[in-house]
Amino acid sequence: MTRSIVLVVLGLTTIWAILVGIGLAIADGPVKLTNGAQTPGISIRGSEQVRGKLTKVPAEKTLLPHDPKGHHQAIDSAIGPGGAVYVNQATLMCKSTDGEAPVEPGTSANGGSAGASPSRGVGFQRRERRVDRAVAKRARSAAAHRRRRVIFNDDSEELAREEANTVDGFVSVRLTPMVGTQVDTICWSALAIWGDAPVYDSKVQPLFGKPAHGGEAPGGDLYVHYAANAKKMIEAGTCPLRTVIQFAHKHEMEAFASIRMNDVHDSFVPGIQTIWKRNHPEYLVQTGGKPPIHKVYVTAQDYAHQAVRDRKFEVIEEICDRYDVDGIELDYIRHPVLFSSVIQGGSATDAEVAIMTSFMDRIRSRMDQLGTRRKRPLLLAARVPDTFDQAKKIGLDVQAWLKQDLVDILIIGGGYSPFSLKLNDIVKVAHRHDVLVYPCINSGPLKDFTSVDDLHIAARAVAMNWRSAGADGVYLWNLGTTFNHDRGQAYLKNRATYFACLRDIGDHQTLVNRDKLYAIDGPVFAPYVLVSTKSPLPVTLSPNTSARLPLVVADDLKQATRAGSLRRLELRLALTGSIQIDSLVVRLNGVKLVTAKLVRNDAGQAHSSFNFAVTAPPLKQGMNTLQIGLKDGTKSAQPITLRRVHLALDYK
C-alpha cells in the first residue's frame, strides 16, 4: 500500500479566529454564511456544545480559498460556549508522495542536512506575495537581452567518465573546451542524462543511482561511474550543478538548469526506471488498448495528474531557491508525450492544454518570487516543437504562453529537420512579446545528413539560414556526446571535430564568406515525427514526373560572385539504385544543369552519386527550387530513390 504521510506542525502558523455573531449555521456538511456564500472544502460534521466545553470538529484538508497558489492547509475547529466557533489553521509541513519514507524537516532525501531551505517538503514553507508580472518582466527583459550567441545543452554525460569524480576531472571533459568560444550559456541537465532523477544535491528527491532507482549503476556498463561520481562530488561538497554554475560565472557565461520534462529512456535502457515510477504506474500514460504512437513513450508520465506536475515543480523550485542559476530550461522535447490522449494517437484536449498553461504560470510565478527575493531575475526557457500547431497538439499552447509572459526564451525543435524549419512566423510572434528565439541544432541528425567531418560546415549553413530568418542565436543539443566514452587521442579528435563549430556559428559576422554545406533534410527519427517539420527526402524518382524540392541558401551569392570570393559551388546528389549520369534531369530554378560528374556508381551496392557544377545565378540567396527526375524511357532493376542533396559553398 502506498504510504502518504503528512506531518502537521501546530503552533508555527496557527491562526486562532473567534467567529462570533456572524450567523454561522452549524450542521452536517459545508459551513454556509448568512449571505449564502459557501466556504470551499471545509466540512463540519456532528458538532455540538457539551456541558460548556469545546467540542472538537473534524475538518477535511483543503487548499484555502484565500490563496489558490498556496500550499495545503489543515483546519481544526471547535465550538465554544455561546456558539462561538474557534478555528485552528496549520500549514502541512512535509508530505511524502513517492512511496518512500517521508523526508523529515531539516534532513535531505539523500541523507544529508537540508539546512534552512524553504523548498516544499523541506522545513518551513515561507508564504510570499505574488510578484507583479509587469515589474518582473522589466527585470527579466534586461537579463534576457544580454549577449547570448550559443546555448550549449550539456546532458551531464561527462559524469560517466572515470576521472569525473573531482572538480578538475569533471570540468576538463566538456566544459573547459568551451572557454573562449561563442558559447555564452550552458544548460546543464540536472535530472541526469536519463533516468529522471537528480544528479545534484537535492533535498526533495532521491539522488540518481541506488536512492532513486534501487541499483548502484543504472544505465549499464558504459555508465558504471555515472552515479558514483555524482555521489562522490556531492559528498565532497562539490555538487556537479554548483560546479557548473561556478565554472560558467567564472568565465562570464550563464548557467541554466535543464529539466527533462518527461524522460522515457527507461522504456529501453535497463535499470533506470525510478522507484517512484514503479510504485505509481497509475501516473503513467495509458494506451487504452490502442497501439502507442511509438513504443518508447509507454513509460511517459501523464501530466493530467497533480502528483506528476508537483514532482517537476519541486525540483524547479528547489534549484531556483538553493542554487545561483541564471534560469531554468524546461525541455519538452525530452520527451514530447505528456498525456494519454497523445500516446493513443490523438491530440491533447482543451482541458489538458489548460492544465499545462496553468502549470507554466505556476512555475513562472514562483520563479519571479524567488528572483525578486534574491534581487536578480530568473529566466525561463522552454524547448518546444517546431510549430505552434504541433506544440498545441501535445498540450503546449505556446502562443498563450507568449501572451501571458510565461517564457523569456523559446528553444525551437529537436533539430531533426533543421534545413526545413520555418522560423519567420515564430520569430515574428515571439519578438512581438519580447521573447527570444533559439532554434536547435542536433548533432546526431546533422551528422547523419552529412558526415562527422562535414558537421562544422553544415552547422554554419543551418545557423546562417536561421540568423537570416531573425533567430537570436542557436541552441546545441548532443554536440560531442559520443556515448562510447573514447579515451586518449580518439576522444581528443572527436571533441575537436565537434567543437570546431563553437567558434563561429553564433554570430552572423563570423559566418559571412565561410565555407558551408547546405542540405535538404532526410527522414526524421521516428519518435520525433510528431514534433518535427516534415522532411522532403527521401523521394522516389520516375520518368514521368519531377520531384520539386526546396533549397534555402542564406549566403549573399550575388555579392560573393561580384567580389570574386567564391571558389566553388557544387550540387551533390546521392541515390539508391544504379543509373547512368545521362538518365538524370536536374533543374535549378528552371535552369537545366548539364555539367556533372559521376562520383560513384556501385551496381553491387545499388548506390549512385553525382556532382553538378553550379553558378550564381541561377542559384540565388533565399529560396531555390530544385527539380529532379529521370529521362523518359529510363529503366532500372530497382526503384531510383533520391536520398541526399548537398550544396557545397567553398570560399577562397
Side-chain angles (χ1 to χ4, degrees):
M1 181 177 68
T2 300
R3 289 173 291 171
S4 182
I5 301 176
V6 176
L7 176 65
V8 180
V9 181
L10 300 177
L12 291 176
T13 59
T14 302
I15 300 174
W16 284 98
I18 303 178
L19 308 177
V20 182
I22 61 173
L24 284 176
I26 305 300
D28 286 348
V31 177
K32 294 183 179 179
L33 303 181
T34 53
N35 63 2
Q38 183 168 307
T39 56
I42 301 178
S43 179
I44 307 292
R45 299 187 296 275
S47 55
E48 59 179 342
Q49 179 181 340
V50 180
R51 299 186 185 90
K53 295 182 179 180
L54 297 182
T55 302
K56 283 280 188 177
V57 181
E60 297 175 353
K61 179 177 69 176
T62 182
L63 191 64
L64 290 183
H66 66 272
D67 183 6
K69 299 293 182 183
H71 288 264
H72 288 295
Q73 309 285 314
I75 295 292
D76 197 14
S77 56
I79 301 174
V85 178
Y86 293 79
V87 180
N88 176 9
Q89 171 185 314
T91 300
L92 300 185
M93 304 297 291
C94 292
K95 182 179 180 182
S96 171
T97 59
D98 60 1
E100 301 299 305
V103 180
E104 297 294 337
T107 63
S108 163
N110 300 320
S113 172
S117 167
S119 298
R120 189 166 64 87
V122 186
F124 177 64
Q125 172 65 47
R126 180 188 304 178
R127 180 174 298 281
E128 298 182 60
R129 290 182 179 273
R130 187 180 179 95
V131 176
D132 183 278
R133 187 67 56 80
V135 174
K137 173 68 174 179
R138 288 194 290 272
R140 284 189 273 104
S141 181
H145 284 277
R146 61 156 283 169
R147 185 170 75 162
R148 188 184 300 102
R149 296 163 294 179
V150 174
I151 301 175
F152 189 106
N153 182 284
D154 182 342
D155 59 10
S156 75
E157 189 256 358
E158 62 266 39
L159 280 170
R161 296 184 172 276
E162 185 175 2
E163 66 272 22
N165 56 14
T166 65
V167 170
D168 289 343
F170 174 69
V171 302
S172 65
V173 175
R174 183 177 288 177
L175 299 178
T176 299
M178 296 183 200
V179 177
T181 69
Q182 293 181 352
V183 174
D184 293 313
T185 303
I186 300 171
C187 287
W188 195 78
S189 186
L191 292 182
I193 188 171
W194 47 32
D196 197 34
V199 280
Y200 68 94
D201 187 18
S202 177
K203 313 303 182 185
V204 298
Q205 289 185 18
L207 186 67
F208 184 96
K210 190 171 184 178
H213 303 92
E216 295 289 352
D221 293 342
L222 289 178
Y223 289 84
V224 66
H225 301 294
Y226 187 92
N229 285 346
K231 184 173 184 285
K232 185 172 182 178
M233 289 189 71
I234 289 170
E235 290 174 344
T238 54
C239 166
L241 176 58
R242 198 174 305 281
T243 297
V244 171
I245 295 167
Q246 291 171 347
F247 177 91
H249 291 171
K250 177 182 177 181
H251 296 285
E252 299 183 343
M253 303 178 192
E254 285 179 312
F256 279 51
S258 179
I259 308 298
R260 296 188 174 196
M261 299 304 284
N262 213 347
D263 193 278
V264 296
H265 282 95
D266 56 6
S267 68
F268 59 92
V269 176
I272 64 168
Q273 188 171 85
T274 60
I275 296 171
W276 187 85
K277 270 192 177 183
R278 297 200 297 270
N279 286 347
H280 293 288
E282 72 275 15
Y283 292 150
L284 306 186
V285 291
Q286 307 297 316
T287 62
K290 300 177 182 178
I293 56 170
H294 199 284
K295 61 183 180 181
V296 301
Y297 295 130
V298 295
T299 58
Q301 299 169 70
D302 192 330
Y303 271 71
H305 299 288
Q306 182 73 42
V308 171
R309 303 194 299 275
D310 285 349
R311 274 178 61 80
K312 281 293 181 284
F313 180 85
E314 68 184 3
V315 165
I316 295 164
E317 181 184 45
E318 176 183 49
I319 291 173
C320 291
D321 183 42
R322 294 181 49 230
Y323 289 84
D324 191 27
V325 291
D326 298 286
I328 295 289
E329 177 203 359
L330 307 181
D331 186 356
Y332 284 108
I333 301 299
R334 285 296 182 275
H335 284 95
V337 168
L338 305 171
F339 294 102
S340 297
S341 55
V342 177
I343 198 172
Q344 294 173 17
S347 299
T349 66
D350 290 345
E352 289 167 342
V353 171
I355 284 173
M356 295 309 297
T357 302
S358 177
F359 181 52
M360 290 294 293
D361 181 81
R362 180 186 178 193
I363 293 170
R364 163 61 90 200
S365 296
R366 187 61 179 142
M367 288 178 65
D368 279 348
Q369 286 178 330
L370 295 171
T372 299
R373 184 206 296 173
R374 72 176 192 171
K375 296 181 173 57
R376 189 163 69 86
L378 284 157
L379 300 179
L380 184 56
R383 187 174 176 224
V384 297
D386 280 7
T387 70
F388 291 141
D389 287 344
Q390 288 173 329
K392 195 166 185 180
K393 184 173 182 178
I394 67 169
L396 310 178
D397 190 349
V398 177
Q399 288 180 288
W401 299 359
L402 296 174
K403 293 175 184 176
Q404 297 175 35
D405 184 30
L406 302 185
V407 290
D408 304 296
I409 297 169
L410 281 183
I411 298 162
I412 305 299
Y416 292 98
S417 46
F419 289 101
S420 304
L421 181 63
K422 296 175 176 61
L423 272 183
N424 298 72
D425 290 343
I426 293 174
V427 168
K428 183 178 179 180
V429 175
H431 284 181
R432 186 187 308 148
H433 296 283
D434 194 31
V435 172
L436 304 172
V437 177
Y438 288 77
C440 171
I441 292 178
N442 187 332
S443 65
L446 196 61
K447 169 179 63 66
D448 294 340
F449 298 159
T450 56
S451 68
V452 173
D453 292 336
D454 288 335
L455 179 72
H456 181 188
I457 55 177
R460 282 181 186 160
V462 172
M464 190 73 170
N465 276 353
W466 290 345
R467 278 291 191 176
S468 298
D472 298 286
V474 296
Y475 169 97
L476 293 171
W477 174 264
N478 271 357
L479 187 73
T481 298
T482 61
F483 302 109
N484 59 6
H485 313 295
D486 290 331
R487 294 290 188 272
Q489 291 302 312
Y491 169 70
L492 294 176
K493 179 182 178 181
N494 175 277
R495 186 180 66 187
T497 299
Y498 278 94
F499 276 32
C501 67
L502 299 181
R503 298 189 176 276
D504 55 32
I505 65 170
D507 191 310
H508 183 271
Q509 294 305 313
T510 54
L511 290 169
V512 173
N513 292 343
R514 302 297 299 275
D515 292 353
K516 297 179 186 69
L517 186 68
Y518 288 92
I520 295 176
D521 291 318
V524 173
F525 186 35
Y528 299 100
V529 168
L530 76 165
V531 293
S532 302
T533 305
K534 182 177 174 57
S535 59
L537 297 179
V539 61
T540 300
L541 305 179
S542 69
N544 301 320
T545 58
S546 294
R548 295 175 62 89
L549 305 169
L551 179 61
V552 180
V553 178
D555 280 63
D556 189 344
L557 300 171
K558 184 182 293 186
Q559 170 61 28
T561 300
R562 188 164 49 241
S565 57
L566 276 172
R567 183 170 63 86
R568 180 178 60 169
L569 291 172
E570 187 172 74
L571 181 69
R572 302 167 182 170
L573 309 180
L575 303 96
T576 299
S578 179
I579 61 170
Q580 298 302 312
I581 194 168
D582 58 1
S583 298
L584 271 181
V585 180
V586 180
R587 288 184 171 85
L588 177 61
N589 294 326
V591 177
K592 186 176 181 180
L593 303 183
V594 294
T595 306
K597 65 178 180 179
L598 175 66
V599 179
R600 177 184 179 190
N601 190 347
D602 189 337
Q605 297 296 321
H607 291 301
S608 303
S609 299
F610 303 95
N611 292 353
F612 291 80
V614 177
T615 58
L619 188 67
K620 63 182 181 179
Q621 184 180 29
M623 177 63 74
N624 296 269
T625 300
L626 194 62
Q627 293 173 267
I628 303 178
L630 301 177
K631 283 185 178 179
D632 290 343
T634 299
K635 295 181 180 180
S636 176
Q638 63 278 324
I640 305 299
T641 301
L642 180 65
R643 59 185 179 85
R644 182 174 293 176
V645 176
H646 292 165
L647 176 70
L649 273 65
D650 295 344
Y651 286 87
K652 295 178 181 177

